Structures are given as C-alpha cells and as structure tokens.
Amino acid sequence: MEDKDRTRLIEIIEKFKEDGLISVLQKIQDVFNYLSPETIVMVSKYMKMPLSKIYGVITFYHHFSLKPRGKYTIRVCKGTACHVKGGEENLTRIKRLLSIKEEEVSEDFVWGLETVACVGACALAPVVMINDEYYGKMSLHKTELIIDHYKAIEKTGEYVKYEDKVS
C-alpha cells in the first residue's frame, strides 16, 4: 500500500470510527473499491478490534467485497419475478457484451458482473443495477443501450444520467 493510500485509510478510520465498524468498512470500500487484507489489518489495529470480528462482519454482509471490483459493478437480479420476465436472457446478453462471466471483473477493472438473489424491486422486473442505479423493465435492447451508455461515460469521462427512452 502506498503512503498516500495509507494516510487516506487512517483518515477514514479516524473520521468514521465513532459511527462504528460498518460505517468505516463502507467508506473504505467506497474509496478503495474493496477491502484488502492489509486494509483489514489496519482497521483492526486502529479500532482495537480482533480480526475475527471484522472478518465476521465483512463475510456476513453481501455488500462487502474481499476482491477488487470493477469501476462499474453490474448486479443482475435472479429473483423469481426477474427470472420469469427475462432476467436470465439479460444476464447472458451482458456477459456477451462485456466478455466476462458471473462474479468476474474485467481485466481492466472497469466492469464487474454479479448476480443477486433479489434487489427488492420486483414491480420493475427484470432489474439490473449498475453501482447504485436501478434499471427496470429491462429488455435485451434496453440492456444494450445502457451498457453502451456506460461505455460512452468511460470513454469520455463525463457522467451523464441514463434517460430511459425505451418503454
């Protein structure tokens, strides 16, 4: 870990430790994109907490990741409503468009693909999430448009919210 990252990590721990372990871990993951073993050891040291307790929290919550994630983490819902309305076909399309498999990250760490049991938006099935944004009523065409939209963001560096032009 570089010195600037270590300094940033210590700042996060000091700033959020009063809010508790989960807040510290969330902020660290937001900044570093995952929780590395070195990071966890530092959290243990600065929060005076056993490693086993920290790993227990990390492995309990699906939100936390011990592996590097893509800049854009795509979560495809595999709940019953999404499955019935074409979620699996969308998953297959995304895998083909990005040339990655489920639970993988692209070699350039731009894309990550995960499946989740349910995102709790069954009325919008089938649902895909990209980072914290929900996209509902996904068709194969809409899936391609959204992926192309994020590819354009990555290419230009300018974030523009996707506007649904497909119903």
Side-chain angles (χ1 to χ4, degrees):
M1 180 180 285
E2 294 180 23
D3 287 344
K4 67 176 179 143
D5 290 338
R6 186 182 318 278
T7 300
R8 178 73 176 121
L9 178 62
I10 293 168
E11 288 172 358
I12 292 169
I13 294 168
E14 292 299 326
K15 183 173 181 180
F16 293 95
K17 72 180 179 184
E18 293 299 319
D19 297 334
L21 177 62
I22 291 175
S23 294
V24 169
L25 295 174
Q26 285 175 323
K27 188 62 182 174
I28 292 170
Q29 185 164 285
D30 287 347
V31 171
F32 295 100
N33 209 17
Y34 79 109
L35 301 167
S36 70
E38 187 177 0
T39 299
I40 296 166
V41 168
M42 287 188 64
V43 170
S44 173
K45 177 181 169 187
Y46 282 90
M47 292 188 73
K48 298 179 177 41
M49 218 177 261
L51 282 170
S52 59
K53 182 175 181 176
I54 297 168
Y55 273 103
V57 169
I58 293 168
T59 55
F60 181 80
Y61 292 104
H62 187 264
H63 171 77
F64 294 121
S65 178
L66 294 168
K67 297 186 304 187
R69 287 183 161 170
K71 180 178 180 181
Y72 304 107
T73 299
I74 301 171
R75 293 180 183 88
V76 178
C77 181
K78 293 189 90 172
T80 303
C82 288
H83 177 76
V84 168
K85 293 193 171 187
E88 193 66 33
E89 289 82 8
N90 282 323
L91 176 61
T92 300
R93 179 66 55 100
I94 293 167
K95 289 193 286 191
R96 185 179 60 75
L97 289 169
L98 300 176
S99 301
I100 58 174
K101 298 176 184 169
E102 293 173 50
E103 314 310 325
E104 277 189 356
V105 176
S106 61
E107 288 182 17
D108 57 4
F109 291 97
V110 172
W111 304 99
L113 180 59
E114 300 175 355
T115 57
V116 294
C118 183
V119 297
C122 299
L124 300 174
V127 176
V128 169
M129 291 180 67
I130 300 180
N131 295 343
D132 294 328
E133 305 249 357
Y134 286 81
Y135 298 96
K137 301 188 185 295
M138 298 293 290
S139 65
L140 296 177
H141 180 63
K142 186 175 176 181
T143 298
E144 286 188 26
L145 290 175
I146 292 173
I147 296 296
D148 286 346
H149 176 77
Y150 276 88
K151 284 180 176 178
I153 291 171
E154 184 59 22
K155 190 174 183 177
T156 64
E158 291 182 35
Y159 177 79
V160 178
K161 187 170 177 69
Y162 176 81
E163 292 189 34
D164 193 353
K165 296 176 181 151
V166 179
S167 298

